[in-house]
Amino acid sequence: MPDRRRVLFVTDLAYQARGRRYCDEDIFLTSRLRDDFDIALCHPLDAAAMMDAFDVVVVRNSGPVLHYQKEYDTFREQATACRTRIYNPLSGRGDMAGKQYLLDLTAAGYPVIPTIDRPEDLHLLPEAGQYAVKPKAGADSIGLTFVPREQLSGLAYGDILVQPRIDFRYEVSFYYVDDAFQYALHAPDPERRWVLEPYEPTDADLAFARPFIHWNTLDHGIQRVDACRTQEGELLLVELEDLNPYLSLDLVSDRTRDAFVASMTASLHRFLDAQPRT
């Protein structure tokens, strides 16, 4: 029998997230992945010191990295220098790399909430009652504020993004392993982001989400495409989460949950087979 692969599973089990229980999700995932792998859990602050002893580092519900940015940057630098296998790979172009992708996707004409970061681009934003101002390095709505249009010209640009505040019907999230769609959930009440229900996507919904997965060019890993449905029925990208997307596995059926675990397990094996350790 071949040796079992060793997985360092990075998670902050004590992190208090609004409307989500990170610890429950990661306890469940590791209990199931243990069927195929030897697994140890560690806090994100301990990952750099421990990762050399493992075949792969799986970064899951580790909390917003801006709370430990210096340590996270060290982790990335060390993993890159040592060619450590990180899942998701560190080449992600979505939230893993900050919010620049919202600007890039806006400029490229993708269906995304229009986003700018320079006062000279204010004319590119549609008229709205209010505008969302958020830090480029933000997460979990940290630092998010709303201002009227007349205040936009006086903002301190450079490290912020500006978007129109969209009057949407609901938010919907599409969950992927590698490039394969797994399931979708939506929040019927716009004021309750994490009160989610199963959602049956249409072909048009999946045709909206898939180009963002392809744009991100991650061959392996877990991604979540968050979108809002406008009053006119259009879907617009809110976030492309490729660092540590919460999966809300407690809200899907047993069959869907089992299928997700099987997909993640197969993805990890493919990743390890494709990335031999040097």
Side-chain angles (χ1 to χ4, degrees), residues 10-12 15 43-47 59-75 243-244:
V10 179
T11 177
D12 183 356
Y15 180 69
H43 189 277
L45 294 179
D46 302 323
V59 178
R60 282 302 309 133
N61 291 315
S62 54
V65 297
L66 76 165
H67 294 324
Y68 53 96
Q69 190 67 54
K70 181 180 177 180
E71 292 83 358
Y72 178 69
D73 292 343
T74 298
F75 164 75
L243 172 57
N244 49 12

Side-chain angles (χ1 to χ4, degrees), residues 54-250:
F54 293 83
D55 297 304
V56 62
V57 178
V58 175
V59 178
R60 282 302 309 133
N61 291 315
S62 54
V65 297
L66 76 165
H67 294 324
Y68 53 96
Q69 190 67 54
K70 181 180 177 180
E71 292 83 358
Y72 178 69
D73 292 343
T74 298
F75 164 75
R76 285 181 61 98
E77 292 167 5
Q78 183 175 325
T80 300
C82 297
R83 302 184 68 181
T84 305
R85 292 178 292 202
I86 310 296
Y87 184 99
N88 291 351
L90 298 176
S91 57
R93 301 166 69 191
D95 268 2
M96 186 183 299
K99 300 293 185 183
Q100 178 64 37
Y101 70 93
L102 293 170
L103 297 165
D104 296 340
L105 291 169
T106 295
Y110 281 78
V112 58
I113 296 177
T115 307
I116 66 161
D117 68 342
R118 306 185 307 166
E120 54 264 42
D121 291 334
L122 285 173
H123 67 282
L124 299 176
L125 296 180
E127 290 292 334
Q130 286 187 311
Y131 293 82
V133 180
K134 59 183 71 174
K136 287 184 178 179
D140 252 5
S141 298
I142 295 171
L144 173 67
T145 60
F146 296 99
V147 301
R149 191 175 185 96
E150 56 267 24
Q151 293 183 17
L152 294 181
S153 58
L155 296 175
Y157 288 87
D159 295 322
I160 62 169
L161 300 175
V162 180
Q163 299 174 316
R165 187 173 190 177
I166 301 296
D167 178 22
F168 58 87
R169 298 183 197 171
Y170 57 80
E171 290 189 73
V172 58
S173 295
F174 306 91
Y175 301 78
Y176 286 79
V177 173
D178 299 348
D179 64 349
F181 171 72
Q182 302 296 310
Y183 57 92
L185 295 168
H186 81 305
D189 183 349
E191 300 301 321
R192 304 171 74 191
R193 169 67 180 96
W194 293 106
V195 180
L196 297 166
E197 298 177 1
Y199 178 86
E200 190 63 39
T202 65
D203 289 344
D205 292 338
L206 296 179
F208 159 85
R210 182 170 295 277
F212 296 109
I213 298 298
H214 289 167
W215 176 87
N216 204 14
T217 66
L218 278 181
D219 292 331
H220 305 88
I222 299 168
Q223 299 180 69
R224 192 184 74 218
V225 178
D226 294 338
C228 63
R229 177 83 68 187
T230 68
Q231 296 297 335
E232 295 72 32
E234 179 186 13
L235 282 178
L236 295 176
L237 181 77
V238 174
E239 188 171 48
L240 178 56
E241 178 57 79
D242 59 1
L243 172 57
N244 49 12
Y246 185 70
L247 304 171
S248 300
L249 287 172
D250 58 319

